Amino acid sequence: MRSAALLLYLFALPGVWGQQDPLVTVRRTERLLGTEVTVTVTAENEEIGFIHIEEALSEMRQVAGWISSRDPASVTHAINANAGLQPVSVPREIYSLLERAIQISELTSGAFDITDAALDTLWRFDGSMAQIPGAEDVAGVLPLVGYRKLVLDAGNRTAYLPEKGMKINLDAIGRGYAVDRAKDRMLDKQVPGGTIQAGGDLSAWGTRGSGDKWLLGISDPINIGQILRWVPLIESSVSIVRTDAQFVRSGDRTYGYIMDPHTGFPAEGVAQATVLARNAELSSALAHALCVLGPENGIRLIEYLGDTEAVIVDDAGIMYWTSGLSLSRE
């Protein structure tokens, strides 16, 4: 399905209650995992609410300590530093995450690939790149990209990149994983409701203190301010990826930060991808993959998966969505 569009935006109602409501809402924001993380919970009182939030953030800090490639003490850094040298022992949780990352790579025909981090030597979206890499430069690095090359040894629980210069980056799946870990902790503590957001990844559970559902608003870019549909987030997650969230310009061209692992160049054709799924880890990885797959192949994949929905806006401003969303202006 298609419709002229400019963008989607996330609108999760945080809840504002009067004193007559039995629960209060508590919120805290912290810089973590390379982005702004916001945890919102409903609780009997503010003191209990902030205790729950600290527990949620503690889970996310642990994941950040494992996956941050910029942290010399992280598991990801150790795997990268030992590329072409030796396997690295990894915690059980991260070993399982690596296995699931490879499964998603298989599912998306390599559109999602944590080994595309090798391209970071050529492409930098922090303002430090002097010129766009040439085809020969990319061709020299591209052989280092390929999720099938990552060697996982279940018996010894090790991960190994067999070629020097290979690298992995778990941000695209790790942030969602951190959100899920924090949410699971809140469910274990029987926190009645809340949302956990890390950048474009958000997961919700329960309801607001008023009993209302947490909602995702899909905006109508033709009729500004009008919502095409409110989608309830009931024990579910949503991830939004904008390819121009980080970018570099060369002449009259803009290159977004989502890399196509097949070509070694930034993916083209998609401005934004939004995925609703059962958990944030899956929605985040799939949203990144859709930016590479493009609208038609991406929507086809999500329809095939079932129990998952998506909206894709291409670089011409056309919006595509899965049949389960039933977007219309009628």
Side-chain angles (χ1 to χ4, degrees), residues 78-87 115 117-118 121 139-151 159-168:
I79 293 172
N80 293 342
N82 284 280
L85 298 176
Q86 60 185 354
T115 68
T121 58
V141 176
L142 198 55
L144 298 174
V145 177
Y147 68 91
R148 291 189 176 94
K149 295 183 178 183
L150 175 60
V151 179
Y160 178 50
L161 295 171
E163 299 178 39
K164 191 173 180 60
M166 289 189 72
K167 295 170 61 179
I168 62 169

Side-chain angles (χ1 to χ4, degrees), residues 66-80:
W66 283 331
I67 72 171
S68 176
S69 57
R70 294 169 292 276
D71 184 352
S74 74
V75 176
T76 300
H77 187 277
I79 293 172
N80 293 342

Side-chain angles (χ1 to χ4, degrees), residues 299-315:
I299 294 298
R300 187 180 300 116
L301 171 65
I302 301 301
E303 295 279 22
Y304 167 78
L305 290 177
D307 199 30
T308 307
E309 304 293 346
V311 181
I312 301 175
V313 181
D314 70 14
D315 55 7

Side-chain angles (χ1 to χ4, degrees), residues 28-33 37 39 50-68 71 74 174 178-179 181-182:
R28 179 175 162 191
T29 298
E30 181 174 313
R31 185 75 181 176
L32 194 61
L33 296 157
V37 171
V39 180
F50 281 120
I51 290 174
H52 290 326
I53 287 176
E54 178 57 31
E55 292 173 328
L57 289 172
S58 178
E59 289 286 337
M60 300 183 79
R61 293 188 199 106
Q62 183 177 42
V63 175
W66 283 331
I67 72 171
S68 176
D71 184 352
S74 74
V179 168
R181 288 266 304 223

Side-chain angles (χ1 to χ4, degrees), residues 7 84 108 207 248 301 310:
L7 87 144
T108 61
T207 62
V248 62
L301 171 65

